[in-house]
Amino acid sequence: MRYVVVGVLLLISLVVLELSNAMAPSVSYEWVVSYSERSILGANKQVILINDMFPGPILKATAGDVVNVNIVNHLTEPFLMTWNGLQMRKNSWQDGVRGTNCPILPGTNWTYRFQIKDQIGSYFYFPTLLFQKAAGGYGSIRVYSPELVPVPFPRPDGEFDILIGDWFYTDYRGMRASLDNGLSLATPDGILFNGHGPEEAFFAFQPGKTYRLRISNVGLKTSLNFRIQDHDMLLVETEGSYVQKRTLSNLDIHVGQSYSVLVTAKTDPIGSHRSYYIFASTRFSNSYMTGLALIRYPNSPVDPVGPVPAAPESWDYASSVRQTLSIREDLAVGAARPNPQGSYHYGRVNVSRTIILQNDVMSSSNRLRYTVNGVSFVFPETPLKLADHFQLKNTIVPNMFPTYPSNKTPRFGTSVVDIRYRDFVHIVFENPLDESQSWHIDGYNFWVVGMGFGGWSESKRAGYNLVDAVSRSTIQVFPYSWVAILIAMDNQGMWNVRSQKAEQWYLGEELYFRVKGDGQEDPRNIPTRDESPIPENFLRCGRVL
Ligand SMILES: *[C@@H]1O[C@H](CO)[C@@H](O)[C@H](O)[C@H]1NC(C)=O
Ligand SMILES: *[C@@H]1O[C@H](CO)[C@@H](O)[C@H](O)[C@H]1NC(C)=O
């Protein structure tokens, strides 16, 4: 009976979603991006603000909404914003990365306009050009579920958005210059909570209430372990997927990842009159550092008392792998997508191709550079999406990029992988280095079906989770390890595939997926070209004048 009710609800909700697409409710934001001097961790630094805020305002929308964000650039440099984890259905024109868009020049403004379709959850936005993320410019994104789409947990009494990340005293232009000069990023100077140093950010709890904490790691390089003194967390969401609920005492969050946990406030007379620490401490790092925020109950003294939860052993990868693999999709719920979680059996779809992406350091270069399959990414003068649209010659060289690790001499190149629309692709990320990686694909979520130490081989397929792997958009790859994902290429466009680690990304660890119909008649009656037209207000640059 319950299943029938859920089924009917799902049907209703899908109908409602269709209607809402037609009526397209919208939300609009006007964001001024500017510099300001701020004292953070006791040192002055020029940070990037949005509407005078660091972090920027929370972007709130409901699945189905059309979102308009008018960005007014008051910096002295070009600017672009990306929407980390939002799928920008068929609209890579609106994904503010250098390969798809011309930059918004200083003193000018440009309006992003996109519809959020079939996805709900927690994400964040950040600036993508010129290492600006090291100065801020980021903020949280909440996508709510439409009224009638069931959410698999009771409505929380409140929500908090928590952005954690490493912070560096150095001006972002200085950091950029040292990367340009071949130096690696230094050790961070601290860990921030919503732009604040230790014990400056606090979250007010009322006894007995349940809160949803939407947490993202917005830092440049550091994996963080998140935990709360004397409070357990119920993990419910990973980058837009509802997961099998699990109680955790701590959670590893790698650069670029987002999670939601539910935390229930204490009711006992002593416990509900205290303050508690929230920790975000470095993992897999030589120098231990921790960010500290506070939970405060009504009339509680500011300073927490009592024992604090121990940090996991910093270099204990095995426990982190176990935790990652234990995060599973909740197949019993329908999310706001045409194929409710669970009704789409990704494990039964035939794989159309395998791509192996191996990151490395470019040893032949006299400056520090990073490669994928031996190619270190360099930008053409015209964004790839525009070059493709206007069919400019000599920008995208088909098949230049090897889709398997290559033992050719490392080189520079503009890596674009052509992928046929609706192909079902198996991708293996191989990390032969002693530092963990974090991979992200714009425009998509993918199923994380396998993860292991050592090299990948065909025999690993036998161990894949083909039933309830989590679907997400950013996955860490541990040192000397591999990760396998499956991805349904149902979103046409030019999509950035990148290291979420700022240094690796800035120095060449990225590529683009060009997902297109092949123009052949499709027997399933699926349009072969199915993409938003070029926006009327598109910016010109490079060879498009
Ligand atoms: C720039 O901002 C103005 C004022 O809000 C707006 O009317 C205009 O459409 C914006 N321009 C672009 C290209 O988005
Ligand atoms: C997958 O491939 C097998 C073998 O080629 C074929 O028999 C089967 O019908 C395919 N399944 C689907 C769902 O296309």
Side-chain angles (χ1 to χ4, degrees):
M1 181 59 199
R2 221 180 99 230
Y3 292 104
V4 174
V5 173
V6 171
V8 169
L9 272 178
L10 274 177
L11 264 183
I12 296 174
S13 62
L14 292 180
V15 170
V16 169
L17 268 189
E18 284 308 309
L19 282 177
S20 67
N21 287 353
M23 296 187 287
S26 70
V27 290
S28 296
Y29 290 91
E30 185 95 13
W31 284 357
V32 177
V33 183
S34 66
Y35 294 118
S36 178
E37 194 88 8
R38 290 281 161 108
S39 172
I40 293 174
L41 298 175
N44 282 342
K45 175 164 164 170
Q46 194 174 53
V47 298
I48 293 176
L49 308 181
I50 297 184
N51 292 356
D52 290 324
M53 294 163 70
F54 168 61
I58 302 171
L59 194 165
K60 295 179 187 170
T62 301
D65 283 355
V66 171
V67 178
N68 300 281
V69 188
N70 186 10
I71 301 253
V72 184
N73 181 5
H74 284 180
L75 305 182
T76 52
E77 292 182 334
F79 187 87
L80 283 176
M81 190 76 96
T82 197
W83 319 96
N84 198 74
L86 292 189
Q87 288 172 19
M88 323 300 293
R89 299 298 298 179
K90 304 176 197 302
N91 207 348
S92 61
W93 294 112
Q94 304 293 328
D95 183 17
V97 287
R98 197 167 155 195
T100 56
N101 272 278
C102 297
I104 306 168
L105 295 177
T108 70
N109 69 293
W110 194 73
T111 308
Y112 289 89
R113 183 181 164 83
F114 52 87
Q115 188 170 18
I116 300 186
K117 290 190 175 159
D118 308 334
Q119 77 173 137
I120 47 195
S122 313
Y123 315 93
F124 68 96
Y125 59 83
F126 70 91
T128 58
L129 299 182
L130 298 164
F131 225 68
Q132 289 161 354
K133 189 188 184 199
Y138 48 70
S140 301
I141 301 176
R142 289 184 192 177
V143 181
Y144 297 115
S145 186
E147 280 292 290
L148 283 167
V149 176
V151 173
F153 46 86
R155 183 194 285 265
D157 299 299
E159 302 203 12
F160 294 113
D161 301 81
I162 304 183
L163 300 176
I164 51 177
D166 48 21
W167 186 254
F168 300 75
Y169 289 142
T170 312
D171 184 90
Y172 77 96
R173 284 154 291 210
M175 296 171 80
R176 197 164 83 204
S178 56
L179 291 175
D180 289 338
N181 286 326
L183 297 175
S184 201
L185 264 192
T187 306
D189 296 299
I191 309 298
L192 302 189
F193 263 88
N194 287 348
H196 293 290
E199 299 185 52
E200 290 172 356
F202 73 89
F203 304 94
F205 273 26
Q206 296 291 333
K209 304 264 194 233
T210 298
Y211 298 93
R212 178 176 185 166
L213 274 46
R214 300 174 182 258
I215 315 154
S216 299
N217 184 336
V218 293
L220 302 188
K221 65 183 267 187
T222 313
S223 301
L224 296 171
N225 181 264
F226 186 91
R227 56 196 188 280
I228 307 176
Q229 184 182 16
D230 229 4
H231 290 70
D232 279 337
M233 305 178 280
L234 187 69
L235 181 66
V236 292
E237 181 226 331
T238 300
E239 291 152 27
S241 294
Y242 292 129
V243 295
Q244 296 170 25
K245 298 183 193 68
R246 272 169 42 83
T247 303
L248 300 174
S249 57
N250 70 82
L251 173 64
D252 283 337
I253 308 180
H254 300 266
V255 175
Q257 296 184 334
S258 303
Y259 288 100
S260 284
V261 298
L262 299 183
V263 179
T264 298
K266 296 188 174 299
T267 49
D268 65 286
I270 298 175
S272 64
H273 286 90
R274 284 191 183 158
S275 297
Y276 299 87
Y277 287 122
I278 310 179
F279 298 86
S281 60
T282 52
R283 268 208 99 170
F284 319 122
S285 157
N286 282 324
S287 50
Y288 181 81
M289 252 170 245
T290 191
L292 275 184
L294 295 172
I295 288 176
R296 298 195 57 188
Y297 283 78
N299 308 317
S300 65
V302 177
D303 288 327
V305 290
V308 298
E313 179 64 43
S314 187
W315 294 99
D316 176 12
Y317 286 110
S319 69
S320 197
V321 170
R322 272 198 306 278
Q323 182 177 78
T324 308
L325 293 176
S326 74
I327 299 171
R328 305 285 180 91
E329 196 105 340
D330 184 347
L331 300 182
V333 300
R337 41 177 82 93
N339 290 307
Q341 277 187 206
S343 77
Y344 181 83
H345 295 290
Y346 70 91
R348 292 192 206 143
V349 182
N350 285 339
V351 166
S352 19
R353 71 190 281 199
T354 291
I355 294 172
I356 298 181
L357 300 176
Q358 188 182 76
N359 61 279
D360 211 339
V361 187
M362 192 177 205
S363 46
S364 57
S365 173
N366 48 11
R367 282 188 297 124
L368 180 62
R369 291 289 302 189
Y370 294 94
T371 57
V372 185
N373 292 352
V375 184
S376 189
F377 191 89
V378 285
F379 282 98
E381 60 174 328
T382 313
L384 296 165
K385 184 71 193 150
L386 278 184
D388 189 42
H389 180 83
F390 290 103
Q391 302 190 329
L392 302 184
K393 290 202 168 50
N394 309 323
T395 302
I396 300 171
V397 182
N399 304 321
M400 176 284 289
F401 178 78
T403 54
Y404 279 81
S406 122
N407 46 20
K408 282 204 227 159
T409 312
R411 61 211 154 104
F412 292 93
T414 302
S415 308
V416 176
V417 179
D418 278 306
I419 295 185
R420 223 173 45 166
Y421 182 45
R422 301 237 169 222
D423 266 5
F424 194 74
V425 179
H426 170 222
I427 300 174
V428 178
F429 296 109
E430 285 188 327
N431 177 17
L433 304 182
D434 65 0
E435 186 185 341
S436 67
Q437 299 295 311
S438 184
W439 277 101
H440 175 86
I441 304 181
D442 277 351
Y444 287 92
N445 266 27
F446 44 75
W447 290 275
V448 182
V449 293
M451 171 177 274
F453 290 110
W456 178 85
S457 62
E458 284 291 333
S459 65
K460 306 290 184 194
R461 288 179 190 244
Y464 285 1
N465 176 356
L466 297 181
V467 178
D468 59 359
V470 73
S471 160
R472 62 187 311 170
S473 60
T474 300
I475 188 66
Q476 79 277 12
V477 190
F478 290 110
Y480 313 114
S481 296
W482 57 270
V483 161
I485 65 170
L486 293 175
I487 177 167
M489 291 292 181
D490 57 1
N491 193 11
Q492 292 196 5
M494 184 74 73
W495 299 109
N496 186 229
V497 181
R498 62 171 170 270
S499 172
Q500 294 279 49
K501 301 189 95 172
E503 169 179 333
Q504 280 76 1
W505 188 22
Y506 185 77
L507 295 177
E509 193 175 320
E510 72 178 305
L511 54 129
Y512 281 80
F513 282 168
R514 177 166 59 177
V515 184
K516 264 189 175 177
D518 57 8
Q520 307 287 315
E521 193 70 31
D522 190 305
R524 294 160 297 182
N525 236 341
I526 294 166
T528 54
R529 288 296 291 156
D530 188 12
E531 202 182 344
S532 299
I534 185 167
E536 276 170 30
N537 63 349
F538 83 94
L539 298 172
R540 294 162 187 272
C541 60
R543 283 157 64 205
V544 177
L545 293 173

